[in-house]
């Protein structure tokens, strides 16, 4: 049995943040009914296409395991069907612009009146406050949530990260909120409103930087490489390049082949507990006892020099050889893996972290699978739906409409 089998999700989401949430619920076994505009569908079906007139990878990789129904909620008949879906489903999820659902005539109060047990979940850009009516996209969320100001190098501009922490990150947060509300409903019998703001989600993922903001009030952040370089701190958590966020000095170092391979690098941490092992493998055993190097505080003003010495060693090894040598010695390190390397990694296929899916129009393609593994509820990834593929099925099986009623809804332009 799937973990969320029997749960029906009314998916009013589009683009990335909302579909990330509902796809995760679908992977866990929920019946996710994706509502799309007739003839148009989710905007991402046509965005960044690599094949003409075929649903884009952007869409397919965010909408697995779902069913698609087309519905014109601006028509009277469409609104009537939408109300029936609200009456039937356990959860409604949307990530429209602020106020869009209210303008459709479906405020939280109205939805709760139609179905007191339903959980109404939303992703917005900002929570209540001066910016709550503003639209937010991925990079805006990263900038307003504290990520960009603390990412990049000290002498450069703020930088966004390639990880979609604003969209997908907030979708993951909302999924947890929905499952929590479902659990609460088991005891109370009543649904509730669940919201996740993208600014809040990004800030949650940047909590160590908020930690450092408070530490900064009591003195310089000694584990930041700028401290060892004698660069003064300002009044806000600075950009820290590739410094480790956990208090142990870390850096990205060149490996053998770096001249031609842009990913021939390794992340290397000089953890205090294994300092002696680090000294041994790079051929500097004297540093274990030498004044100025023997203890972490003594090394703070020599971090750049130390990593230069380590890099001279890593440049003689491939990134995987560095990992093979260091891991048995408990030296924390990790190779910089490209998307090509990840796509070809057999272990990720075996665990279902990367899966191959067959699509009726585009053929086989790779996508990410469920990153959360349950021992008794294995997730299986099925392809994304074609636009309106399950309209008749949903109207008949979920809402119990007859063939005549379905035909009438179509002639009225409702579906």
């Amino acid at each position: 049995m799937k973990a969320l089998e029997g749960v029906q999700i009314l998916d009013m989401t589009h683009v990335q943040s909302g579909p990330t949430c509902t796809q995760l619920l679908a992977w866990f076994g929920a019946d996710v009914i994706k509502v799309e505009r007739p003839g148009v569908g989710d905007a991402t079906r046509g965005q960044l296409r690599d094949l003409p007139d075929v649903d884009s990878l952007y869409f397919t990789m965010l909408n697995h395991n779902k069913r698609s129904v087309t519905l014109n909620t601006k028509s009277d008949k469409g609104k009537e069907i939408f109300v029936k879906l609200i009456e039937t489903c356990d959860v409604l999820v949307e990530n429209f612009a602020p106020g869009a659902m209210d303008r459709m005539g479906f405020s939280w109060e109205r939805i709760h009146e139609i179905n007191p047990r339903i959980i109404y979940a939303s992703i917005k850009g900002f929570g209540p406050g001066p910016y709550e009516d503003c639209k937010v996209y991925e990079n805006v969320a990263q900038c307003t949530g504290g990520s960009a100001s603390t990412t990049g190098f000290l002498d450069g501009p703020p930088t966004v990260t390639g990880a979609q922490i604003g969209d997908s990150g907030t979708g993951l947060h909302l999924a947890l909120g929905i499952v929590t509300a479902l659990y609460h409903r088991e005891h109370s019998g009543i649904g509730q409103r669940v919201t996740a703001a993208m600014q809040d989600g990004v800030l949650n993922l940047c909590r160590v930087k908020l930690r450092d903001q408070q530490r900064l009030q009591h003195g310089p952040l000694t584990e930041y490489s700028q401290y060892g370089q004698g660069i003064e701190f300002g009044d806000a958590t600075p950009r820290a390049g590739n410094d480790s966020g956990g208090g142990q000095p870390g850096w990205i170092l060149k490996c053998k082949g770096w001249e031609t391979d842009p990913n021939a690098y390794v992340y290397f941490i000089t953890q205090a507990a294994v300092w002696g092992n680090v000294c041994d493998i790079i051929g500097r055993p004297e540093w274990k006892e030498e004044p100025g190097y023997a203890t972490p505080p003594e090394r703070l003003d020599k971090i750049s020099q130390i990593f230069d010495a380590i890099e001279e060693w890593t440049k003689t090894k491939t990134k995987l050889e560095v990992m093979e040598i260091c891991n048995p010695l408990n030296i924390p390190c990790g190779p910089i893996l490209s998307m090509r390397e990840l796509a070809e990694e057999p272990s990720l296929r075996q665990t279902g972290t990367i899966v191959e899916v067959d699509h009726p129009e585009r053929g086989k393609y790779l996508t990410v699978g469920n990153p959360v593994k349950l021992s008794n509820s294995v997730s299986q990834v099925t392809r994304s739906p074609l636009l309106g593929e399950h309209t008749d099925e949903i109207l008949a099986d979920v809402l119990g409409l007859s063939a005549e009623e379905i035909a009438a809804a179509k002639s009225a332009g409702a579906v």
Side-chain angles (χ1 to χ4, degrees):
M1 183 176 180
K2 301 293 185 181
L4 293 180
E5 190 169 323
V7 175
Q8 282 193 319
I9 311 290
L10 185 55
D11 183 1
M12 302 289 290
T13 69
H14 60 290
V15 191
Q16 184 181 167
S17 61
T20 296
C21 168
T22 52
Q23 178 173 258
L24 188 61
L25 300 174
W27 281 338
F28 285 129
D31 178 17
V32 175
I33 300 170
K34 185 174 180 68
V35 178
E36 301 184 78
R37 283 195 299 160
V40 179
D42 191 318
T44 57
R45 285 186 183 269
Q47 288 182 357
L48 304 175
R49 276 182 169 148
D50 57 322
L51 296 173
D53 302 320
V54 174
D55 287 339
S56 71
L57 288 167
Y58 195 9
F59 175 83
T60 60
M61 293 177 71
L62 287 162
N63 291 282
H64 294 108
N65 296 58
K66 302 179 184 181
R67 296 195 285 173
S68 172
V69 59
T70 53
L71 185 62
N72 179 9
T73 55
K74 293 182 179 180
S75 71
D76 291 340
K77 187 63 176 177
K79 280 189 171 67
E80 181 183 325
I81 292 173
F82 187 51
V83 168
K84 290 182 178 179
L85 286 168
I86 292 173
E87 291 172 343
T88 304
C89 290
D90 298 286
V91 183
L92 186 154
V93 190
E94 58 91 13
N95 63 327
F96 291 125
M101 288 291 288
D102 290 7
R103 291 189 292 272
M104 287 172 55
F106 292 97
S107 63
W108 158 237
E109 292 75 18
R110 173 63 180 142
I111 291 170
H112 188 61
E113 179 185 6
I114 296 170
N115 181 358
R117 286 178 55 82
I118 200 168
I119 290 150
Y120 177 19
S122 301
I123 288 178
K124 300 303 176 194
F126 297 96
Y131 309 115
E132 61 185 300
D133 294 328
C134 297
K135 293 179 72 173
V136 171
Y137 295 90
E138 173 64 44
N139 288 354
V140 175
Q142 290 194 31
C143 291
T144 59
S147 175
S149 71
T150 57
T151 303
F153 289 89
L154 193 62
D155 58 354
T159 305
V160 296
T161 173
Q164 305 293 281
I165 62 174
D167 277 323
S168 289
T170 309
L172 296 173
H173 281 91
L174 188 69
L176 173 61
I178 289 170
V179 172
T180 303
L182 283 169
Y183 180 79
H184 177 265
R185 194 183 70 178
E186 291 300 303
H187 303 282
S188 69
I190 302 296
Q192 59 182 299
R193 189 85 163 86
V194 180
T195 59
M198 292 172 70
Q199 182 187 43
D200 299 358
V202 171
L203 181 56
N204 183 45
L205 297 175
C206 293
R207 65 180 64 186
V208 297
K209 298 301 182 179
L210 184 61
R211 171 204 68 189
D212 291 348
Q213 178 63 41
Q214 296 170 86
R215 292 174 56 228
L216 190 58
Q217 299 171 20
H218 303 284
L221 307 175
T222 57
E223 80 281 8
Y224 280 55
S225 57
Q226 75 178 73
Y227 174 77
Q229 297 167 5
I231 301 173
E232 291 188 7
F233 287 81
D235 60 1
T237 305
R239 290 183 277 287
N242 291 318
D243 290 346
S244 168
Q248 303 287 346
W251 205 250
I252 290 180
L253 305 175
K254 297 172 182 174
C255 292
K256 188 176 182 180
W258 68 270
E259 298 91 342
T260 56
D261 182 355
N263 293 300
Y265 290 82
V266 67
Y267 195 84
F268 197 104
I269 297 176
T270 57
Q271 190 175 28
V274 292
W275 172 245
N277 291 343
V278 173
C279 295
D280 286 338
I281 66 169
I282 66 172
R284 298 293 181 95
E286 69 278 6
W287 280 359
K288 290 187 284 186
E289 304 295 337
E290 186 175 329
Y293 293 89
T295 66
E298 291 179 283
R299 296 194 288 272
L300 287 174
D301 62 348
K302 304 176 186 68
I303 293 298
S304 294
Q305 174 190 341
I306 289 169
F307 277 119
D308 285 345
I310 298 172
E311 189 173 62
E312 288 304 307
W313 174 76
T314 61
K315 285 162 66 175
T316 68
K317 312 289 181 185
T318 68
K319 60 188 179 184
L320 295 180
E321 288 173 339
V322 172
M323 193 175 185
E324 290 167 2
I325 294 169
C326 290
N327 274 351
L329 299 173
N330 294 318
I331 299 172
C333 66
I336 308 303
L337 297 178
S338 69
M339 283 297 155
R340 180 186 62 79
E341 291 170 305
L342 290 168
E344 296 173 356
E345 173 54 48
S347 65
L348 297 179
R349 305 286 188 97
Q350 292 166 4
T351 60
T353 299
I354 289 181
V355 298
E356 187 175 73
V357 179
D358 198 4
H359 190 275
E361 295 181 345
R362 73 161 38 254
K364 294 185 184 297
Y365 66 94
L366 289 184
T367 187
V368 294
N370 193 340
V372 183
K373 322 296 186 190
L374 302 182
S375 62
N376 292 334
S377 302
V378 178
S379 296
Q380 293 179 322
V381 178
T382 60
R383 68 168 176 84
S384 60
L386 302 177
L387 178 60
E389 180 178 353
H390 305 95
T391 297
D392 289 6
E393 176 184 305
I394 290 167
L395 295 181
D397 297 346
V398 177
L399 301 185
L401 299 188
S402 66
E404 291 77 15
E405 289 173 315
I406 293 172
K410 289 181 178 179
S411 63
V415 295

